[in-house]
Amino acid sequence: MEPDCPRCGEALTTFALAGVEAFTCEACGYVGVEADHSGEPNAAESWEDALRRFHEDS
């Protein structure tokens, strides 16, 4: 028997790979995967900066 979603209470779908199980809820999008969000976000490099860096390294 699959557990219920902690967000919305609907039934969770179970996925298993290499002996590890993960749960997801198709109703609300919940995914039962632990994540650490404590780090600083990385700034995305702009195309202009990337091209400048590319030409400087050439």
Side-chain angles (χ1 to χ4, degrees), residues 2-21:
E2 296 172 350
D4 292 334
C5 177
R7 282 191 194 161
C8 70
E10 293 291 323
L12 292 174
T13 303
T14 305
F15 293 94
L17 180 64
V20 177
E21 288 186 339

Side-chain angles (χ1 to χ4, degrees), residues 4-53:
D4 292 334
C5 177
R7 282 191 194 161
C8 70
E10 293 291 323
L12 292 174
T13 303
T14 305
F15 293 94
L17 180 64
V20 177
E21 288 186 339
F23 301 99
T24 184
C25 178
E26 294 180 22
C28 73
Y30 170 81
V31 178
V33 176
E34 293 183 23
D36 180 11
H37 298 285
S38 63
E40 292 292 323
N42 294 332
E45 183 177 32
S46 70
W47 279 105
E48 183 179 317
D49 291 341
L51 289 171
R52 183 181 308 114
R53 183 173 48 81

